[in-house]
Amino acid sequence: RDGFILYVGNARAYKNLGRLLAAYRLASSRSSIPDLVMVVRRDRAFDSMDREIDRLGLRGRIHIQSAVTEERLKELYSTCLAFASPSICEGFGLPVLEAMAAGCPVLASRGTALEEVAGDGALLVDPYSVEAIASGLEEICGSPVLRASLAEKALARASGYHWDVTAEAVARVLEGIVEG
């Protein structure tokens, strides 16, 4: 695991990419952190994010990939130094869970659904603070001990999520509704 930080998701405002990019710029000005690889869908929000990359002067440090295969995504999750998701609003946070299941050290948002999904398997930061996100990036990239601890906790936490368990829970709720 080395060589890049990973982000997976769309470029919509709730993903908080403006702050992530500003934090990345701040962190990389203060310490040596690797490039950021962003797997981002090219939807209507993409152009705004792309302009922000230019505005911040990060074009050479940010590498955008779109429409990656499932195999390529698994490779990215399993080889990145860390995964970053400072979203300000999530319904669940599947990319965080996917990263954790790959044993990836994760940086995620405190006070959102991501905190509930990640538990102690992620370094949690205030998603509204560029400084907190930057410090989190520096901490996770700068400490092999922290990364190893987070990876171990992430694998343990992710092992509790199974489609069978989810399907059973949904079935129980639906049966309760039908039975009145």
Side-chain angles (χ1 to χ4, degrees), residues 11 17-18 21 38 40-59 62-66:
L17 296 186
L21 293 171
M38 301 179 77
V40 181
R41 186 176 1 164
R42 291 180 184 265
D43 61 10
R44 66 181 179 270
F46 181 87
D47 289 341
S48 176
M49 178 206 67
D50 202 43
R51 284 190 302 273
E52 186 66 3
I53 290 169
D54 285 334
R55 188 185 75 75
L56 293 170
L58 295 172
R59 184 59 62 192
I62 307 291
H63 308 279
I64 298 170
Q65 298 184 20
S66 294

Side-chain angles (χ1 to χ4, degrees), residues 2-19:
D2 64 3
F4 64 98
I5 300 165
L6 179 63
Y7 166 82
V8 175
N10 63 54
R12 305 252 168 87
Y14 72 92
K15 292 296 189 175
N16 204 23
L17 296 186
R19 286 190 189 98

Side-chain angles (χ1 to χ4, degrees), residues 31-34 81 135-147:
S31 61
S32 177
I33 64 172
L81 184 69
S135 293
L137 289 171
E138 290 173 275
E139 186 177 355
I140 206 167
C141 291
S143 175
V145 172
L146 175 62
R147 288 193 306 276

Side-chain angles (χ1 to χ4, degrees), residues 92 97 157-174:
F92 180 76
L97 185 57
R157 179 80 177 178
S159 72
Y161 289 91
H162 296 282
W163 287 115
D164 295 353
V165 174
T166 302
E168 180 65 32
V170 170
R172 281 194 304 272
V173 168
L174 294 174

Side-chain angles (χ1 to χ4, degrees), residues 76-140:
L76 291 168
Y77 280 131
S78 64
T79 59
C80 65
L81 184 69
F83 179 83
S85 184
S87 178
I88 55 175
C89 179
E90 286 292 339
F92 180 76
L94 194 55
V96 166
L97 185 57
E98 290 173 339
M100 291 170 60
C104 182
V106 170
L107 179 140
S109 301
R110 179 178 291 117
T112 68
L114 297 182
E115 182 173 8
E116 185 178 342
V117 170
D120 67 348
L123 176 62
L124 300 172
V125 298
D126 176 357
Y128 294 99
S129 168
V130 169
E131 176 59 42
I133 299 167
S135 293
L137 289 171
E138 290 173 275
E139 186 177 355
I140 206 167

